[in-house]
Amino acid sequence: MKKIMIDNAAALGGSITVAEVNSLRDAAVKASQVLEDGTGAGNDFLGWLHLPGAVSESELASLESTAARLREDCEYVIAIGIGGSYLGAKAVIDALSDTFAAYKSNGGTKVLFAGNNIGEDYTAELADLVKGHRFGIIVISKSGTTTEPAIAFRLFKNMLEQQEGKDFASKHIVAITDAKRGALRSLATQEGYDTYVIPDNVGGRFSVLTPVGLLPIAVAGFNIRELVAGAVDIEQGDNELMYTYAQTRNALYSAGKKIEILVNFCPKLHNLAEWWKQLYGESEGKDSKGIFPASVDFTTDLHSMGQWIQDGERTIFETVLSVGEPAATVVIPHDEADLDGLNYIAGKRVDQVNKMAELGTRLAHVDGGVPNMVITIPALTERYIGQLLYFFEKACGISGYMLGVNPFNQPGVEAYKKNMFALLGKPGYEEATRAINERLS
Ligand code: PA5
């Protein structure tokens, strides 16, 4: 079985040396051992570590059968969730989907997303789209109390009940939440929804290979067995890929490269980068430390951010996601008049041009003081995407421990919520409401 690969050669020789990266090997091995032994900070959230190999046949079969029922009965399925309860499914579905599936009538059930923002127009426009069409809902919240998905769920649940009746609604709403706790668990029990559990020891950003990611991905028509098998490829292999990535990025960080840009040359990977940003941002950005995870879509953003990356402050490095082989073949035609001057590339595939743009950009950025690593994904298939997801998860655990933080908590995400609840006058926040109003007066 082919695997994703990593090459850090273009990260070496400038800001960091081979010896510096190699000197971090012991720390990387130790971090991995701490993960395996469960002796590090956040060790009650290590359920993801050997999750792929433990996904059972009965769980996969149940997810596939629920997905088949939703696909059979619904034109649209709205996946409601935010953060780790949204980004994994969105990333995988976008990476594997026809970019224009939404505009094509034969694409089967369409998975749409809600509860990942509080945009009123977004919500209204989505409601307008599904009005009069059969739709189902997958509501995902580990805590079962997150405001954004709770608002969206209240709205779309009401709409579905009014449109199709309570019986259809209760059979076509699936809740994915904690086994026992939270408002969503109580509601699901009361309404008799089908449910799946987010294990206690798996944090949101590490949950893509649980029903959180697997159910929406299956509803979108993708092979979740292959996705999980890809993750198992890496889980059961050695740690070389993870060590290389974790050692190189920590060496670069120590050398003043504070920002890592995840680069793709394939627009289908835009949301993979969004998932990666949550994974690394929430895991490492704490205790006044942590690489800032950013992302760009090339060549699109070469025409906007390209200038900054080539010439701006030298605090960045890049990790390039390079897709080996596209699924389609498009050849640039010969043109007799050649008024656009493109005949020199006539007969070449579009991807050959893209690959030269990729190589040319990497070389230019190294020359401009931007080191880079390349992660090669042989093709955009479930198997390789599964490998990539688990690779990033494990490398994140190793890298976070090397940095000296607890990669599995996210204390910083509460601050805005406290202010928002105070401003909205949520019961229990009376003192905070008084204080914030005084601050604003
Ligand atoms: O990684 C995290 O823990 C967060 O981003 C959560 O995934 C996000 O806040 C959603 O939480 P919940 O699933 O409890 O609604």
Side-chain angles (χ1 to χ4, degrees):
M1 182 65 212
K2 271 212 232 170
K3 282 193 188 164
I4 58 167
M5 290 183 304
I6 188 162
D7 178 357
N8 70 352
L12 307 172
S15 329
I16 54 167
T17 62
V18 181
E20 278 164 340
V21 174
N22 289 346
S23 73
L24 294 178
R25 173 54 62 116
D26 287 351
V29 172
K30 186 165 171 232
S32 159
Q33 201 53 53
V34 169
L35 273 179
E36 289 296 338
D37 295 344
T39 50
N43 56 2
D44 43 349
F45 283 98
L46 292 176
W48 57 273
L49 187 59
H50 291 299
L51 180 107
V55 177
S56 67
E57 169 57 35
S58 62
E59 183 167 23
L60 288 170
S62 165
L63 288 163
E64 285 170 340
S65 130
T66 302
R69 185 166 50 79
L70 290 171
R71 282 172 68 77
E72 178 80 23
D73 296 347
C74 304
E75 207 175 322
Y76 298 106
V77 169
I78 305 178
I80 296 179
I82 195 165
S85 292
Y86 150 70
L87 285 160
K90 177 73 176 151
V92 174
I93 291 171
D94 281 11
L96 296 172
S97 292
D98 176 332
T99 312
F100 300 101
Y103 307 98
K104 296 180 180 173
S105 52
N106 58 352
T109 302
K110 311 242 183 304
V111 177
L112 305 165
F113 292 90
N116 57 327
N117 63 64
I118 328 179
E120 190 157 347
D121 287 345
Y122 181 97
T123 310
E125 286 156 15
L126 179 56
D128 190 46
L129 176 72
V130 297
K131 190 171 171 197
H133 297 264
R134 282 248 157 127
F135 72 94
I137 298 174
I138 303 172
V139 54
I140 309 168
S141 178
K142 187 175 184 202
S143 62
T145 56
T146 308
T147 308
E148 291 91 334
I151 293 172
F153 184 53
R154 182 183 279 211
L155 287 165
F156 286 103
K157 172 183 181 284
N158 279 353
M159 184 177 173
L160 186 60
E161 287 174 350
Q162 276 166 26
Q163 189 171 290
E164 306 291 346
K166 267 204 106 148
D167 190 50
F168 180 94
S170 66
K171 289 193 173 73
H172 294 86
I173 294 176
V174 180
I176 305 178
T177 188
D178 184 85
K180 298 196 183 76
R181 286 183 301 264
L184 182 55
R185 170 58 57 186
S186 316
L187 207 149
T189 307
Q190 188 185 305
E191 303 279 355
Y193 301 149
D194 280 349
T195 60
Y196 288 95
V197 169
I198 309 176
D200 255 356
N201 58 357
V202 179
R205 59 189 174 275
F206 289 87
S207 70
V208 58
L209 297 166
T210 73
V212 169
L214 296 180
L215 185 60
I217 293 166
V219 172
F222 298 110
N223 186 334
I224 54 174
R225 287 171 192 269
E226 272 295 286
L227 191 78
V228 172
V232 172
D233 291 339
I234 304 296
E235 180 199 343
Q236 295 180 355
D238 63 32
N239 281 325
E240 272 316 307
L241 291 175
M242 285 68 90
Y243 288 158
T244 302
Y245 183 54
Q247 286 172 235
T248 309
R249 64 197 298 281
N250 275 289
L252 288 163
Y253 182 61
S254 299
K257 301 295 187 186
K258 306 287 187 196
I259 300 165
E260 176 176 5
I261 306 177
L262 194 72
V263 174
N264 71 73
F265 282 79
C266 170
K268 287 175 195 266
L269 293 176
H270 175 87
N271 279 301
L272 205 299
E274 296 303 312
W275 170 82
W276 170 88
K277 285 195 276 194
Q278 186 204 7
L279 182 63
Y280 281 80
E282 275 190 351
S283 298
E284 294 192 323
K286 52 198 66 161
D287 308 335
S288 305
K289 294 197 257 193
I291 294 170
F292 182 85
S295 65
V296 287
D297 302 323
F298 285 167
T299 62
T300 311
D301 293 335
L302 284 171
H303 298 261
S304 58
M305 291 302 290
Q307 171 60 39
W308 198 104
I309 294 170
Q310 188 71 45
D311 269 348
E313 193 181 37
R314 302 297 71 186
T315 47
I316 56 175
F317 68 97
E318 292 174 319
T319 298
V320 179
L321 296 178
S322 181
V323 179
E325 187 62 24
T329 302
V330 179
V331 175
I332 299 165
H334 180 82
D335 184 277
E336 220 32 69
D338 195 28
L339 293 177
D340 52 14
L342 281 185
N343 273 353
Y344 79 104
I345 48 171
K348 287 193 193 297
R349 287 177 64 180
V350 169
D351 190 57
Q352 287 177 279
V353 179
N354 200 26
K355 289 288 191 304
M356 291 308 104
E358 182 180 314
L359 182 57
T361 303
R362 288 184 49 218
L363 293 170
H365 288 179
V366 168
D367 292 345
V370 181
N372 64 63
M373 285 182 268
V374 191
I375 295 168
T376 305
I377 308 154
L380 291 185
T381 64
E382 287 92 337
R383 188 85 180 214
Y384 297 127
I385 296 294
Q387 292 182 3
L388 189 67
L389 295 173
Y390 186 80
F391 155 75
F392 273 136
E393 287 182 356
K394 184 146 191 201
C396 183
I398 293 172
S399 188
Y401 277 156
M402 289 172 73
L403 182 68
V405 298
N406 173 356
F408 307 113
N409 66 2
Q410 55 284 327
V413 303
E414 296 308 316
Y416 96 91
K417 292 182 192 169
K418 187 172 164 241
N419 284 345
M420 179 177 75
F421 293 147
L423 289 164
L424 289 169
K426 184 173 178 172
Y429 283 76
E430 291 76 9
E431 182 48 34
T433 300
R434 194 199 51 72
I436 206 162
N437 283 341
E438 199 172 293
R439 177 177 166 186
L440 293 175
S441 63

